[in-house]
Amino acid sequence: MSVKTITKQNFNIEVLESEKPVLLDFWATWCGPCRMIAPVVEEIAAERSDIVVGKVNVDEQPELAQKFQIMSIPTLIVIKNGKITAQKVGVQPKAVIQAMIG
């Protein structure tokens, strides 16, 4: 699957109502560490059809960044059944991200 762009308009449908776990990557275009982790997030999205992978641009979606109290980026959050089950800040190895998802 490809990475989905998550906005406040599609958040409920793509994330809260998803039957699959959702990995959200909060990022910004100017963020160097975000660019470092992006290929890993895209690789996970391509490899795993059992999850939804979404990216939230904090500059374009400040309401979502505020809702999740994002203070530093990149921040990765896993949501299952509408609830946060894991959260990590900063660049993470692929194995750590996979373990977050379960």
Side-chain angles (χ1 to χ4, degrees):
M1 287 189 105
S2 60
V3 176
K4 297 183 178 189
T5 299
I6 303 297
T7 64
K8 66 181 182 179
Q9 288 80 14
N10 71 2
F11 180 80
N12 285 350
I13 292 168
E14 297 289 355
V15 179
L16 296 182
E17 297 173 15
S18 174
E19 294 181 8
K20 299 178 181 179
V22 180
L23 172 65
L24 286 180
D25 175 14
F26 287 83
W27 70 288
T29 54
W30 48 264
C31 166
C34 298
R35 288 195 300 272
M36 288 171 55
I37 202 169
V40 176
V41 171
E42 288 168 18
E43 201 174 291
I44 290 170
E47 291 173 357
R48 300 206 39 186
S49 59
D50 62 323
I51 63 169
V52 173
V53 178
K55 292 178 77 77
V56 180
N57 184 320
V58 297
D59 291 334
E60 294 174 1
Q61 302 299 322
E63 298 91 347
L64 289 178
Q66 186 176 12
K67 177 179 179 156
F68 287 93
Q69 300 175 341
I70 303 300
M71 298 297 179
S72 299
I73 52 174
T75 294
L76 298 171
I77 296 178
V78 177
I79 298 176
K80 294 179 184 172
N81 301 318
K83 295 184 175 35
I84 296 172
T85 60
Q87 184 168 339
K88 297 258 186 212
V89 177
V91 176
Q92 304 295 327
K94 184 177 180 182
V96 171
I97 300 169
Q98 295 274 32
M100 286 173 60
I101 300 164

